[in-house]
Each structure stands twice: as C-alpha cells, then as structure tokens.
C-alpha cells in the first residue's frame, strides 16, 4: 500500500487496484473556440492542470495502472442529447452547432478530442459519456470492476461539474477517491475551492484531496522502501 498525505487524513491505496481517471481534458473545455468559451468562460486558466497531470500520467503508466480518459460529448445525430441539456442557458453556440474547432461537443470533431499533451496511449481506455457524471450512460463501472479496481485517482476539468459529479457517483459505488487539486480546475476559483472543501469535509464524506507533488513523493518513497525491503530479504536468506 502507498500512503499519500491528504486532506482530511492520509490516503492509502494499492496501485494494482487503482485507476487514474483523466476527466474531460478536451479541447472544447481548454482551448479557445470550444464549448467552455461559448458558455462565456475564460478557458486559459484550466491549462495550468496540464503539466502536473502529465507527471501523474507518467507515474501511473510506470506503475502499470489502468488509465481511463473520459470525453463529454454526443453522437453526431444528437440522439443522445436531452432537450434539457441542449436548451439550457444562453450560450453563443449550442451543442451540435458548428464552431471554430468543429461541431461543439460532438464525437469525432477536433474540439471534442483530448488535448495533445495528455493524449491516451495504446492500451488506455477512452470513455465517451453523454453526461457530467462519468458513470451515467457508460460502462465505466463494468470496466473498473473487471480489473478489480477499488481506488480512483481523479484529475480533470471542471472541478465542480464533471469531476465532482464523477467523484460523488464513484463514492456511492464504493470506490475510494483521491482528487489531485493541481490536476483539476474550474472557470470559477471559488467553486473549485468550495468543491474540494466539500469533498474532504465530514471525515472524507466524498473522498480525499491531495496534490500531484505529494502523490509523486509518496510513490517514490514506497519504491525506495520496497527496494530496501528486497535488499534486507536477500541478506536474511
Ligand atoms: N461547464 C463546465 O464547467 N463543465 C462542463 O460542462 N463539463 C465538464 O465539466 N466536463
């Protein structure tokens, strides 16, 4: 087990039973001209999540962990888009409309895809989802159960929308969730702070909160102690 410093108390996890979730690191949310901007947001702040998440992805790949990349979006014929989602608010462009990076939040379009820095590699799961919660209308729970996953390291955008919805849904399904605060961001800093506080409140009512540096340090320390243990065992035998 790896012991990672976290709020409200240390998070203990077994890499063999842990998946890294990378939620909706899509151009539509993180680059100009996409869905996030059509909703009136400044998308540039979300890009601070890319560098720490690259490091966490590398560590997860080195540990041989299951990595799941989600993408929010809809079928080109929009048959999986509720009117309630399509018609909400007053965006400059609606889901399915033509934008500078293709049709907004439509599968197969450039804007719907994952930013190049965090692009999946062979063997990683890409999960297309019609909602904010990554379990809604998807086979995510089946995929995680098939691999014996019990712990989720959660990164992604935006904190109070798809990340929070997914963490709550995962928690109710019995997964132990750690959210990495520098690997998630919101268009609204106060919403990010409140969401992370709410997750860790009441004795980790939804999950734990830590940073990429604390996670990576704890992985490195556990590798060091495993090495020391192996040396000691060799001496003893
Ligand atoms: N609007 C907003 O903050 N987020 C979303 O619509 N989707 C996700 O969070 N992925």
């Amino acid at each position: 087990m790896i012991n990672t410093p976290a709020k409200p108390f240390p998070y203990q996890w077994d890499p063999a039973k842990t998946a890294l979730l990378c939620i909706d690191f899509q151009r539509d949310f993180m680059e100009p001209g996409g869905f996030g901007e059509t909703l009136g947001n400044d998308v540039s702040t979300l890009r601070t999540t890319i560098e720490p998440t690259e490091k966490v992805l590398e560590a997860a790949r080195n540990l041989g962990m299951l990595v799941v990349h989600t993408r929010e979006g809809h079928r080109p014929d929009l048959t999986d888009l509720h009117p309630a989602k399509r018609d909400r608010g007053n965006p400059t462009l609606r889901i399915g409309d033509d934008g500078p990076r293709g049709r907004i939040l439509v599968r197969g379009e450039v804007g719907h895809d994952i930013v190049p820095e965090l692009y999946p590699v062979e063997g990683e799961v890409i999960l297309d989802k019609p909602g904010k919660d990554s379990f809604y209308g998807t086979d995510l729970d089946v995929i995680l159960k098939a691999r014996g996953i019990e712990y989720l390291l959660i990164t992604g955008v935006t904190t109070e929308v798809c990340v929070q919805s997914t963490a709550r849904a995962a928690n109710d399904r019995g997964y132990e969730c750690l959210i990495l605060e520098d690997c998630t961001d919101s268009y609204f800093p106060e919403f990010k702070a409140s969401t992370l506080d709410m997750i860790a409140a009441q004795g980790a009512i939804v999950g734990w909160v830590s940073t990429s540096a604390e996670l990576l340090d704890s992985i490195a320390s556990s590798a060091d102690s495993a090495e020391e243990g192996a040396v000691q065992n060799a001496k003893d035998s």
Side-chain angles (χ1 to χ4, degrees):
M1 296 293 276
I2 298 180
N3 201 347
T4 300
K7 286 183 247 172
F9 54 87
Y11 175 79
Q12 296 202 329
W13 56 288
D14 175 356
K17 295 180 181 170
T18 305
L20 172 64
L21 284 193
C22 299
I23 298 179
D24 300 1
F25 283 112
Q26 292 162 261
R27 291 169 178 253
D28 262 335
F29 295 113
M30 306 190 71
E31 294 182 358
F35 185 59
E37 195 172 78
T38 72
L39 293 171
N41 300 307
D42 171 8
V43 298
S44 61
T45 62
L46 266 55
R47 297 189 64 80
T48 59
T49 58
I50 292 176
E51 200 187 317
T53 307
E54 279 180 298
K55 292 183 183 147
V56 171
L57 249 180
E58 189 189 354
R61 287 170 179 160
N62 288 339
L63 286 167
M65 281 168 49
L66 176 68
V67 180
V68 178
H69 303 260
T70 70
R71 298 186 297 203
E72 180 181 352
H74 297 275
R75 295 166 181 256
D77 63 6
L78 306 183
T79 45
D80 59 350
L81 177 61
H82 306 139
K85 184 174 179 183
R86 187 191 59 223
D87 298 338
R88 194 79 53 83
N90 190 24
T92 51
L93 291 172
R94 291 199 181 276
I95 296 171
D97 289 351
D98 275 317
R101 293 185 184 275
R103 294 178 65 204
I104 301 288
L105 279 198
V106 168
R107 295 177 189 166
E109 302 287 336
V110 171
H112 170 264
D113 211 354
I114 295 165
V115 294
E117 298 89 335
L118 301 175
Y119 211 77
V121 299
E122 181 82 26
E124 295 177 349
V125 177
I126 299 179
L127 188 94
D128 284 321
K129 63 189 181 73
K132 309 301 184 191
D133 159 12
S134 303
F135 292 89
Y136 172 71
T138 75
D139 53 5
L140 178 58
D141 197 43
V142 180
I143 292 168
L144 299 176
K145 294 264 159 52
R147 277 278 293 249
I149 299 297
E150 296 176 14
Y151 307 88
L152 297 176
L153 308 183
I154 302 182
T155 64
V157 296
T158 61
T159 316
E160 80 282 12
V161 183
C162 292
V163 170
Q164 170 160 233
S165 293
T166 299
R168 289 179 181 278
N171 187 51
D172 280 343
R173 286 169 174 78
Y175 298 101
E176 310 256 35
C177 300
L178 176 73
I179 290 109
L180 295 170
E181 65 177 78
D182 49 336
C183 300
T184 181
D185 202 20
S186 166
Y187 302 120
F188 308 92
E190 66 278 23
F191 289 174
K192 172 177 174 176
S194 303
T195 300
L196 297 178
D197 284 350
M198 285 188 276
I199 282 170
Q202 304 182 68
I205 193 89
V206 177
W208 287 256
V209 177
S210 188
T211 63
S212 63
E214 285 175 305
L215 182 87
L216 297 171
D217 284 352
S218 63
I219 293 172
S221 323
S222 94
D224 288 347
S225 47
E227 212 167 285
E228 280 161 24
V231 170
Q232 196 58 49
N233 282 347
K235 277 187 193 157
D236 294 346
S237 60

